[in-house]
Amino acid sequence: MANYDLYKNIDPGSITSATSSLRQKITTNQTKLQSFDASLTDSMWKATCKATLKEAFGKIDGEVYPEILAALDNLDNAAGLVQQYNDAKEAALTYKGYIKNATEDTPESDLNSWRLNLEAKEKIMEDCEQKINALK
């Protein structure tokens, strides 16, 4: 049975908006870093200092920024999964309502259809929960 109490008060749109903004800042900082790196002249720096700075810039650009961008990708994936979960939950609650409010005059075919749809939506909810929990 799917858990209906997950991801309350989480706005996937806010998450993706924030990650987009952070990506833009990373891109801007990458450009600034590359520009500053290119501006280092031998007349300005001792060779060992320049090499140390270039190594640090290389680590930031090659390790730190990609790690941050990968984390932002995970957040976007989580936001998409939360949206899928919420959409499936809303539909599941609708089918639960149909089943609860069914009368003896409700055709068995309708009840079976609602049960199957409810089961499918709960499966989506469970899958989303597992995928979110697996993100690192």
Side-chain angles (χ1 to χ4, degrees):
M1 174 112 174
N3 186 346
Y4 282 76
D5 294 323
L6 299 175
Y7 318 119
K8 292 181 178 178
N9 300 318
I10 294 177
D11 180 6
S14 292
I15 293 171
T16 55
S17 176
T19 58
S20 176
S21 175
L22 289 170
R23 266 192 195 82
Q24 287 176 319
K25 289 178 182 182
I26 293 288
T27 301
T28 299
N29 285 328
Q30 280 180 309
T31 302
K32 287 179 182 178
L33 181 67
Q34 290 164 358
S35 174
F36 187 68
D37 185 26
S39 74
L40 294 176
T41 61
D42 289 337
S43 63
M44 185 187 289
W45 299 92
K46 290 184 180 178
T48 56
C49 293
K50 181 179 174 184
T52 302
L53 273 175
K54 285 196 168 281
E55 181 182 342
F57 292 165
K59 283 189 179 198
I60 291 170
D61 200 35
E63 296 174 24
V64 176
Y65 287 153
E67 205 172 294
I68 293 170
L69 292 170
L72 294 175
D73 288 342
N74 277 344
L75 285 170
D76 282 340
N77 289 336
L81 290 166
V82 167
Q83 187 62 55
Q84 286 178 11
Y85 170 92
N86 287 338
D87 292 344
K89 174 183 167 182
E90 186 177 319
L93 289 171
T94 298
Y95 290 120
K96 278 186 166 201
Y98 291 163
I99 293 166
K100 180 182 176 186
N101 294 323
T103 65
E104 57 188 45
D105 293 334
T106 302
E108 190 65 31
S109 61
D110 286 353
L111 285 170
N112 288 336
S113 174
W114 296 335
R115 286 184 190 117
L116 286 173
N117 285 320
L118 172 60
E119 197 175 296
K121 296 305 178 184
E122 286 184 340
K123 175 75 170 112
I124 292 170
M125 292 166 62
E126 291 167 357
D127 289 348
C128 288
E129 179 183 1
Q130 288 176 1
K131 288 175 184 175
I132 290 168
N133 290 340
L135 289 173
K136 299 203 183 219

